Amino acid sequence: MIKKIVQNLLLKSGKTYIIDSKIPNKLFYNMLINRVVMLVRGFLKTGKKVFIGCNTKILNNKNIVFGKSVTIGSYCEIDGFASQKIIFGDCVKIGSYSKLLSTSHFSHYGKGLVMGSNSAIGDFTHFGAPGGIEIGNDVIMGSYISFHAENHNFSDTSKLIREQGVNHKGIKLGNNIWVGAKVTFLDGCEVGDNSVVAAGAVVTGKFPNNSIIGGIPAKIIKSIE
């Protein structure tokens, strides 16, 4: 019975896979209880139907747009102090111990993050979003991923690097992308639709659709045909 309920809930949320019959019912009961607790906590924190884990901070939630069935894990910090709306599409999931930093310095009011529907990222993610981060729909990402949409100026040798300020180009990921664990995205990089980023890559450039990229710095390994 419990499996049928969960299966129907998955179908309603747009997920078409079939539950493995070997999974014990106890796991589903635990999951449903946890989701109810997260939903109550999310409503108390934001006034909206959001699933939020324990010890998670939501700052300036009035500037955050939550789609349907958004999940933010435990021990996260979501900084809504940004010049543009923070947008989480439907069924977005942010892993536990993750942090969204929209504004890193009082000299620049950051842009923040837009994350498309059905996109998810694992635990221990760092979104450094002063220059803006755009993530498309259906992007699946592993754990320990970092985005750094900001870069230090350093060309003036008469000044300390910390005194030369920063620049912002932003980071853009298209739709239908698989990102492996421990990938680093640096300011100005772009990844096209229907692409794969290998685990551990450091992404600095701009890559077209249908690319498999990897390495430090990341390069095109092959194209998806």
Side-chain angles (χ1 to χ4, degrees):
M1 183 65 179
I2 184 66
K3 289 180 182 178
K4 289 184 179 180
I5 293 173
V6 174
Q7 188 72 74
N8 288 332
L9 291 173
L10 288 171
L11 291 172
K12 288 181 179 179
S13 66
K15 295 178 173 61
T16 58
Y17 65 85
I18 303 300
I19 292 173
D20 188 337
S21 61
K22 296 188 294 295
I23 296 175
N25 288 336
K26 185 176 180 179
L27 178 60
F28 295 109
Y29 285 117
N30 289 340
M31 180 272 293
L32 287 175
I33 292 170
N34 185 52
R35 293 291 285 177
V36 170
V37 172
M38 291 178 73
L39 182 59
V40 172
R41 185 185 294 114
F43 186 79
L44 292 175
K45 284 181 176 289
T46 68
K48 301 166 186 175
K49 294 180 180 179
V50 184
F51 297 89
I52 296 180
C54 64
N55 295 301
T56 284
K57 296 179 181 178
I58 308 291
L59 307 178
N60 196 28
N61 71 77
K62 293 181 180 179
N63 194 49
I64 303 175
V65 177
F66 294 99
K68 298 177 181 178
S69 299
V70 171
T71 299
I72 300 174
S74 300
Y75 299 95
C76 294
E77 183 173 330
I78 306 298
D79 170 19
F81 288 101
S83 61
Q84 300 178 9
K85 291 285 187 181
I86 306 295
I87 300 175
F88 296 111
D90 296 344
C91 300
V92 160
K93 183 178 180 180
I94 306 293
S96 297
Y97 301 96
S98 296
K99 183 172 184 177
L100 166 61
L101 179 63
S102 296
T103 298
S104 64
H105 196 275
F106 290 152
S107 64
H108 175 78
Y109 197 28
K111 289 184 178 179
L113 169 70
V114 174
M115 194 165 175
S117 296
N118 302 307
S119 290
I121 197 162
D123 299 340
F124 298 97
T125 294
H126 176 80
F127 295 101
I133 300 170
E134 297 180 22
I135 298 171
N137 302 318
D138 303 295
V139 178
I140 53 175
M141 297 170 275
S143 300
Y144 293 96
I145 293 174
S146 61
F147 296 83
H148 305 274
E150 182 175 69
N151 203 4
H152 285 276
N153 300 318
F154 55 85
S155 59
D156 188 347
T157 57
S158 67
K159 294 182 179 179
L160 296 171
I161 293 175
R162 65 179 175 80
E163 295 176 342
Q164 295 184 49
V166 294
N167 59 78
H168 310 89
K169 297 178 182 178
I171 295 171
K172 295 182 180 180
L173 274 62
N175 304 310
N176 188 36
I177 298 173
W178 173 24
V179 179
K182 299 182 179 179
V183 171
T184 300
F185 294 97
L186 298 182
D187 193 38
C189 73
E190 296 183 15
V191 179
D193 299 343
N194 192 41
S195 295
V196 175
V197 184
V202 177
V203 186
T204 61
K206 297 182 180 182
F207 298 92
N209 297 344
N210 308 309
S211 296
I212 299 177
I213 65 175
I216 303 175
K219 297 179 181 179
I220 295 178
I221 298 172
K222 63 181 294 186
S223 296
I224 301 172
E225 298 179 357

